[in-house]
Amino acid sequence: MTLTLLSLASLASAQPVESDDEQARSHFLAARSYYEQARYEDAAREFEEAYRLSSRAALLVNLSMAYERSGDLPHAADALERYLAEAQDIDNRVSLESRLTALRARIAAGEIGTPDPTTSPDDGAAPPPATDANAESGGGMSGLMIGSIASFGVAAASVIVLAVTGAMADDRFAQLASMCPGAECDSSLRPVRDEGVTLATVSTAFTFVAIGTAVLGGVLLVLGLLDGGSPDRGGQDHVRLRLTPNGVALTF
């Protein structure tokens, strides 16, 4: 019996331990499922645990909404107040502060039960669950801005490549000009000519790459500036560029 217990204990200790971020994401996903089932008290409990493990302020917006829909207005107001105190560079801070004031007024009036029917995501309420446990709470750049920077980076690298290959192609053709009087070259110089043609072709190709990525970077920059340039606007949906095992993907 003792040997069996020891074996079980050693097997348990050998199991990988989830990180806080992984556990936070699990609680976030559970909260989202509960919210979609209108089990708001359970959703609030899971959002609270996800926040405790990750300390990501953006989760407090979802927590506030879950508490509000469960009828717990004091905790809804407290969660929103904590978000406003902890998060940085909130684009819709004024709207959220107005929402907090409205929650406090409803509490003072003794209201409980359902959320304010006049409130919609457009006037400051975040539509839970819009915030992932892995999302930063603000102060960063949107996917559009990151894509713009990446595009300009590719354009800059392409300019360097086309400049280098163009210079090398010019050097090969200069050699041929000096070694082929009357534009007639010996067959032994064919490799030099072929190399020059290849380098010139590569240079031309990277010219188009540089132009295309520079234009793309400019478009993404404009869209990013119009979008506000922030990856978190109090929980509102937005476009992001995310790295995946298969490459880069746009998420909404």
Side-chain angles (χ1 to χ4, degrees), residues 8 20 30-31 61 69 80-81 85 87 108-109 138 167 174 195 206 208 211 213 225 244:
L8 291 175
D20 285 349
V61 182
R69 291 191 177 275
L80 185 55
E81 187 172 41
E195 185 178 1
F206 273 94
F208 288 110
I211 294 172
T213 51
L225 292 174
T244 69

Side-chain angles (χ1 to χ4, degrees), residues 77 117 161 174:
V161 173

Side-chain angles (χ1 to χ4, degrees), residues 63-242:
L63 177 62
S64 175
M65 290 293 290
Y67 272 132
E68 182 182 357
R69 291 191 177 275
S70 72
D72 190 343
L73 299 187
H75 279 100
D78 288 345
L80 185 55
E81 187 172 41
R82 285 157 63 194
Y83 172 69
L84 291 169
E86 293 182 21
Q88 303 294 324
D89 300 326
I90 304 174
D91 289 347
N92 61 337
R93 179 179 288 275
V94 174
S95 296
L96 291 177
E97 288 174 345
S98 297
R99 179 168 180 75
L100 177 59
T101 300
L103 282 171
R104 295 297 188 196
R106 293 165 63 194
I107 294 169
E111 181 182 342
I112 60 172
T114 58
D116 184 352
T118 64
T119 302
S120 70
D122 289 335
D123 25 287
T131 304
D132 194 327
N134 288 330
E136 294 296 338
S137 61
M141 292 182 293
S142 70
L144 292 170
M145 298 298 287
I146 294 174
S148 173
I149 293 173
S151 295
F152 284 130
V154 172
S158 298
V159 169
I160 294 174
V161 173
L162 73 88
V164 171
T165 54
M168 293 174 66
D170 289 341
D171 179 67
R172 300 300 184 276
F173 290 132
Q175 290 181 36
L176 290 174
S178 64
M179 299 171 66
C180 301
E184 294 183 1
C185 294
D186 187 86
S187 59
S188 62
L189 296 177
R190 180 177 294 275
V192 178
R193 185 187 69 82
D194 291 344
E195 185 178 1
V197 171
T198 299
L199 289 169
T201 302
V202 171
S203 180
T204 301
F206 273 94
T207 299
F208 288 110
V209 172
I211 294 172
T213 51
V215 171
L216 176 60
V219 171
L220 292 176
L221 176 61
V222 172
L223 292 176
L225 292 174
L226 292 176
D227 190 51
S230 173
D232 187 294
R233 298 199 295 274
Q236 296 182 25
D237 288 336
H238 51 279
V239 180
R240 286 183 186 163
L241 283 175
R242 297 186 64 182

